[in-house]
């Protein structure tokens, strides 16, 4: 089987994987509690929704040959899987950590407004100052980062997150994608729409689907599902991964 055929199989798998994710919602019977959207099960479902949106966006980008952008979004799926995994491991403890992280960053943004927004005067400035005073207990709150959450979730995929992160930033290596060597007349070129190899697409889809499966398993655990459907897709994932190893 050639690279183009394997790429087609991965694209089909990713599309069907999204349908499995959608079916998790149809099987979810979550009763609303006084915690509202802060309920760990609801947080898990929102992370699932974000993951399915990321997956859909990445597939559209692959269809348009935007592989760099697809890799950046695939990285989001790994973050989602770390957050879901931490909710599974720590429950309300991690939910609380998410709240403290959120409030710490809101205070940081408020400080930036005070420092840069000269037009922030009168009632608006007084209200913002009052809000900061009311929430000053979050001043020393710790913040969350993907590596730390990955460790809390006891997930071993951070190396893949790092790998996908490489394309998220400009570097000599990542910029070389757009470089065209000089021709016989020593005139170099730049390609704003470089060709995308099937091997690169397969690699991205392989990593992204791994993260998506992690989200599905985690959300299933939060909701008390049997994860049988996700397990079947995981078995197919392993078969496709083995097949992809034969690509050149």
């Amino acid at each position: 089987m050639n690279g183009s055929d394997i790429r087609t199989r991965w694209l089909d798998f990713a599309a069907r994987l999204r349908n499995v994710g959608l079916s998790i919602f149809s099987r979810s019977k979550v009763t609303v509690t006084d915690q509202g959207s802060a309920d760990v099960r609801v947080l898990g479902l929102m992370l699932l929704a974000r993951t399915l949106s990321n997956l859909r966006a990445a597939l559209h980008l692959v269809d348009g040959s935007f592989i760099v952008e697809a890799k950046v979004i695939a990285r989001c799926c790994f973050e989602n899987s770390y957050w879901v995994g931490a909710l599974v491991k720590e429950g309300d403890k991690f939910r609380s950590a998410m709240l403290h992280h959120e409030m710490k960053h809101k205070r940081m943004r408020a400080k930036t407004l005070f420092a840069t927004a000269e037009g922030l005067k009168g009632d608006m400035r007084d209200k913002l100052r009052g809000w900061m005073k009311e929430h000053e207990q979050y001043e020393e709150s710790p913040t969350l980062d993907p590596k730390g959450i990955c460790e809390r979730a006891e997930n071993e995929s951070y190396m893949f997150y790092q790998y996908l992160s490489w394309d998220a930033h400009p570097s000599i290596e990542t910029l070389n994608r757009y470089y065209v060597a000089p021709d016989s007349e020593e005139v170099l070129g730049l390609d704003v729409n470089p060709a995308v190899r099937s091997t690169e697409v397969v690699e991205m889809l392989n990593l992204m689907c791994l993260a998506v499966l992690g989200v599905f398993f985690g959300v299933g655990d939060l909701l008390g599902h049997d994860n049988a459907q996700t397990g079947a897709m995981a078995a197919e994932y392993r078969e496709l991964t083995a097949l992809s190893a034969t690509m050149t």
Side-chain angles (χ1 to χ4, degrees):
M1 184 175 290
N2 61 37
S4 179
D5 290 336
I6 295 175
R7 166 180 169 156
T8 298
R9 286 191 59 175
W10 272 108
L11 288 168
D12 173 71
F13 175 81
R16 287 186 290 110
L17 190 61
R18 183 171 182 273
N19 289 333
V20 171
L22 290 171
S23 74
I24 294 175
F25 287 109
S26 66
R27 293 185 288 120
S28 302
K29 301 187 184 300
V30 177
T31 303
V32 178
T33 69
D34 57 0
Q35 290 181 324
S37 61
D39 186 297
V40 294
R41 297 167 302 169
V42 177
L43 285 170
L45 286 170
M46 290 191 289
L47 281 160
L48 173 60
R50 174 181 164 89
T51 302
L52 294 180
S53 177
N54 293 156
L55 175 58
R56 184 183 181 194
L59 291 176
H60 280 299
L61 289 168
V62 167
D63 186 55
S65 295
F66 298 107
I67 189 62
V68 172
E69 294 75 12
K71 285 183 177 182
V72 173
I73 290 183
R75 189 178 66 155
C76 295
C77 294
F78 276 99
E79 290 189 16
N80 298 340
S81 71
Y82 301 155
W83 263 247
V84 170
L87 284 171
V88 172
K89 292 289 182 182
E90 300 182 5
D92 286 338
K93 178 181 178 182
F94 184 67
R95 175 185 64 84
S96 178
M98 290 179 66
L99 171 63
H100 282 257
H101 170 90
E102 183 87 7
M103 298 306 296
K104 172 67 174 288
H105 275 273
K106 284 184 176 180
R107 281 182 55 82
M108 290 168 63
R109 291 198 297 270
K111 284 184 175 181
T112 301
L113 278 175
F114 271 117
T116 60
E118 295 181 1
L120 192 64
K121 299 177 181 179
D123 289 346
M124 183 67 72
R125 189 175 183 88
D126 291 339
K127 287 180 179 178
L128 183 57
R129 181 182 288 110
W131 182 90
M132 291 183 66
K133 180 69 175 177
E134 183 180 349
H135 297 89
E136 63 183 357
Q137 72 269 30
Y138 296 106
E139 176 67 23
E140 303 302 324
S141 294
T143 56
L144 303 176
D145 65 88
K147 184 178 181 180
I149 305 310
C150 183
E151 292 172 352
R152 290 172 72 161
E154 299 180 13
N155 192 309
E156 298 180 354
S157 66
Y158 188 69
M159 67 182 75
F160 301 135
Y161 176 85
Q162 286 183 305
Y163 178 74
L164 290 169
S165 294
W166 186 252
D167 263 305
H169 309 290
S171 68
I172 298 301
E173 181 178 331
T174 57
L175 291 175
N176 269 336
R177 179 187 298 273
Y178 310 98
Y179 175 78
V180 178
D183 59 19
S184 59
E185 297 180 359
E186 296 302 313
V187 177
L188 64 80
L190 295 173
D191 190 347
V192 298
N193 189 30
V196 178
R197 294 175 288 109
S198 290
T199 51
E200 191 171 19
V201 173
V202 166
E203 179 185 70
M204 188 282 297
L205 290 171
N206 184 302
L207 293 178
M208 180 175 63
C209 290
L210 174 65
V212 172
L213 283 166
V215 172
F216 288 6
F217 276 117
V219 173
D221 288 343
L222 286 172
L223 299 175
H225 291 178
D226 60 16
N227 281 330
Q229 202 172 6
T230 302
M233 294 299 288
E236 185 177 346
Y237 170 87
R238 290 190 290 271
E239 292 176 1
L240 269 178
T241 298
L243 181 64
S244 302
T246 65
M247 290 181 67
T248 57

